[in-house]
Amino acid sequence: MEQSLRAIELVSFVNLDTLEEKRVQFNPTELTHSVSAEYTMFQVVGLSYQPHQYASTSNREFSMTLMFRVDSPAERDEVDDALRFLDSLMYAADFGGSPPDTLLVWPSLTSTQVKVRSVGKKHTQFNSILAATMTSVDVALMAIHSKPLLQGDVRENGIR
């Protein structure tokens, strides 16, 4: 029973301003995430190296490729809606505002507040009237932090 429930769990995105949720059509096969420590490099005359001082740690960045396939007119509407939803996560709702915070839900791995940084589409198959029937979408996200993380916290609980 548990395996059948897991088989239908899908990655989803939630616009935290409107609470609209979209699940992916097919789960991605890979998720890349990374952080980096940032340092200020100093120039000291006559020194054979550059001393560095810790400045900050970057927000965790995520990237994935989503696949969309259209086999029917109903699927065309669903896929077009999903693609417009992903694009809309990079735009403010009002002039002077900012794009919404988004919840990335990857079942059994993470549920993280992010900003959508980029959405790139590649159409790879077309029907007889040249409408795309297969589209891959590269999505880049950056985590939002509400409090500082310290080494002990990350060691004990991981990056959240």
Side-chain angles (χ1 to χ4, degrees):
M1 176 73 170
E2 186 174 326
Q3 276 189 334
S4 65
L5 288 176
R6 284 200 154 161
I8 61 170
E9 290 180 342
L10 294 171
V11 170
S12 65
F13 298 88
V14 180
N15 177 328
L16 292 175
D17 286 351
T18 65
L19 300 182
E20 181 181 6
E21 177 181 15
K22 289 287 181 200
R23 296 185 193 287
V24 300
Q25 187 179 26
F26 305 103
N27 275 328
T29 58
E30 293 181 348
L31 173 67
T32 301
H33 50 105
S34 63
V35 296
S36 59
E38 306 294 332
Y39 294 90
T40 301
M41 304 300 288
F42 294 98
Q43 300 228 359
V44 179
V45 175
L47 204 54
S48 62
Y49 63 93
Q50 288 184 291
H52 53 275
Q53 180 178 2
Y54 173 75
S56 65
T57 300
S58 68
N59 292 17
R60 186 163 53 159
E61 296 181 26
F62 298 90
S63 63
M64 67 186 78
T65 300
L66 306 175
M67 297 301 298
F68 292 92
R69 185 178 67 217
V70 174
D71 292 322
S72 70
E75 281 182 339
R76 164 74 53 214
D77 292 340
E78 289 176 24
V79 167
D80 287 349
D81 184 58
L83 296 176
R84 286 192 308 268
F85 175 78
L86 288 170
D87 285 340
S88 76
L89 297 174
M90 293 183 293
Y91 291 88
D94 296 306
F95 292 109
S98 69
D101 292 354
T102 302
L103 183 64
L104 165 65
V105 179
W106 188 295
S108 303
L109 182 63
T110 191
S111 180
T112 305
Q113 284 190 28
V114 298
K115 290 286 191 183
V116 176
R117 301 290 302 252
S118 67
V119 174
K121 299 178 193 91
K122 181 177 182 181
H123 306 289
T124 56
Q125 291 182 0
F126 303 89
N127 62 16
S128 62
I129 60 169
L130 294 179
T133 57
M134 184 71 74
T135 300
S136 62
V137 180
D138 292 326
V139 181
L141 313 161
M142 184 174 283
I144 301 168
H145 295 287
S146 58
K147 66 177 189 167
L149 293 174
L150 299 173
Q151 184 182 48
D153 299 328
V154 172
R155 180 73 174 104
E156 186 173 328
N157 303 310
I159 302 170
R160 295 183 179 203

